[in-house]
Amino acid sequence: MKQFIPLCLFLFLNCALFAQNKDTWVSFWDKDTTHIGFKDQNGKIKIEPKYMGLTFANKFDDIIVVSEENKENWKSYYLTKSGKTVGRDSLYIYDNGADCENEGFIRFKDYKTNKMGLFNAQGNIVIPTEYSDLTRVRNGMIIALKGATKVMDSGGDGHFSWVGGKEYLIDINNKILIENFGYNDELNFYSLQKSKEPSKDEIRENFLAVDGEYYSFTNFDKEFKSWLKNNLLTDLSKENLLKNSYDKITYWKEQEAEGWISKPKASFIEQNYKLIKAKLLELKLADCDYHIFSQSLNKFIYEADEYDHYFDNCHQPKDWINPVKNIVISPKNKTDHGQDHFEFLRTGNGYKLISISLRKAELK
């Protein structure tokens, strides 16, 4: 029998803490918009504005990275809700930004050894600095790379790759769950099932754990392709398109000054139904040249509060649970330019059409 493994099994004591911690603090600027502070949900100031620089978190649940001026220098560190400061000069930086807490945990780096570790919500080290790289915590689990060598790319742009080493799936107590666990962006760690035998579900991937049982996870790519084939393309009626669309659909319109604009799905599909249906029908043709890519929700396009759920406390897209699947259709005539794009966001209610851009066609 398959057994669903909830987050609480891994975080046991922490789950009780999370259930009680509903007081998310929100960042605000001072009058000069130069320093950031934090208020609680009632507007009470919890931290006067004094942070800047690498302070990217606009919400504060458990532990964040902050920076403040110290005369002519900067001091950066991790700050907990209780006011505890840890990890001075140990910030984990990627893509020009500091790490953001997830599930009450945040990564840090020892620059003397170039190894990474993990703080919990109280600022205590729960994963020591013995790993070359760590993913963020997802459902109480982390993919950990150990013993690898960093090799810088020849372009001089700061990009690098890891060579060698061994990857593990570990929990937040540094317990190895699965050995030789290759990194995979397509796995939904919140879909974990444990069983005595491998899952036969075609959209799941199985891994033999150190305890002798099998862990299986839904693969986003397999999940989306199965949904596309069996739920959307089998019924391209107006009603089914509406059912499988986000409340607003964003589309590209050449003559608009902003380029990308949004419209309620009902009016958008009513006005563009024939065109959308014709384009999607191409996907059923044997000679259709299309590919499906995984990407993140664009934070510069989807800025309204209604999309806030899909971003973390530093306003980075939560693509580890809500990826965007982009269907890109190329023209049959290879001399033609442009491609058609249909983007679907994975929501709590399944995949929803959220964006369209078409070549040689004007959407209304």
Side-chain angles (χ1 to χ4, degrees), residues 77-122:
Y77 50 89
Y78 295 84
L79 177 69
T80 71
K81 269 283 189 64
S82 66
K84 181 180 178 180
T85 63
V86 294
R88 290 184 180 274
D89 302 317
S90 298
L91 306 191
Y92 171 59
I93 305 293
Y94 68 102
D95 288 339
N96 298 316
D99 199 23
C100 198
E101 65 177 291
N102 199 50
E103 298 179 16
F105 299 89
I106 197 166
R107 297 169 287 184
F108 71 98
K109 185 172 183 178
D110 182 341
Y111 285 90
K112 293 180 180 178
T113 63
N114 278 322
K115 296 293 193 298
M116 289 179 58
L118 193 74
F119 287 124
N120 66 9
Q122 290 75 45

Side-chain angles (χ1 to χ4, degrees), residues 117-257:
L118 193 74
F119 287 124
N120 66 9
Q122 290 75 45
N124 300 322
I125 296 175
V126 291
I127 303 292
T129 50
E130 59 185 41
Y131 295 100
S132 304
D133 201 9
L134 298 170
T135 65
R136 69 180 70 239
V137 176
R138 293 174 290 190
N139 197 18
M141 295 170 284
I142 307 124
I143 303 176
L145 175 64
K146 194 171 188 177
T149 301
K150 181 187 290 187
V151 178
M152 302 305 296
D153 293 349
S154 58
D157 54 5
H159 290 90
F160 66 90
S161 57
W162 292 108
V163 176
K166 187 174 180 179
E167 288 177 304
Y168 304 87
L169 185 68
I170 63 176
D171 66 15
I172 53 90
N173 296 310
N174 202 25
K175 176 184 176 182
I176 296 175
L177 303 175
I178 301 174
E179 294 186 323
N180 300 311
F181 190 89
Y183 181 80
N184 189 338
D185 264 343
E186 294 293 339
L187 297 183
N188 178 1
F189 287 86
Y190 297 90
S191 68
L192 172 62
Q193 292 179 3
K194 282 187 68 176
S195 56
K196 298 295 184 182
E197 301 293 333
S199 171
K200 295 181 180 180
D201 191 332
E202 294 183 352
I203 69 171
R204 303 186 72 85
E205 293 192 22
N206 294 279
F207 302 88
L208 181 61
V210 296
D211 63 4
E213 294 196 301
Y214 286 90
Y215 284 43
S216 71
F217 306 91
T218 298
N219 179 295
F220 288 128
D221 192 58
K222 293 178 181 179
E223 177 187 60
F224 176 73
K225 289 176 179 176
S226 175
W227 172 84
L228 179 67
K229 177 182 177 181
N230 300 310
N231 293 78
L232 186 65
L233 296 183
T234 55
D235 180 9
L236 287 173
S237 65
K238 192 179 297 183
E239 292 72 24
N240 200 41
L241 274 177
L242 283 168
K243 176 183 175 182
N244 291 290
S245 294
Y246 199 77
D247 292 341
K248 291 181 181 178
I249 296 180
T250 301
Y251 63 103
W252 181 261
K253 198 170 180 64
E254 288 289 346
Q255 65 263 35
E256 296 290 335

Side-chain angles (χ1 to χ4, degrees), residues 58-83:
N58 50 40
K59 293 181 181 178
F60 191 172
D61 282 322
D62 296 290
I63 183 169
I64 62 172
V65 169
V66 294
S67 294
E68 58 179 311
E69 285 183 294
N70 182 16
K71 296 182 179 179
E72 295 181 357
N73 297 314
W74 291 85
K75 57 178 182 180
S76 301
Y77 50 89
Y78 295 84
L79 177 69
T80 71
K81 269 283 189 64
S82 66

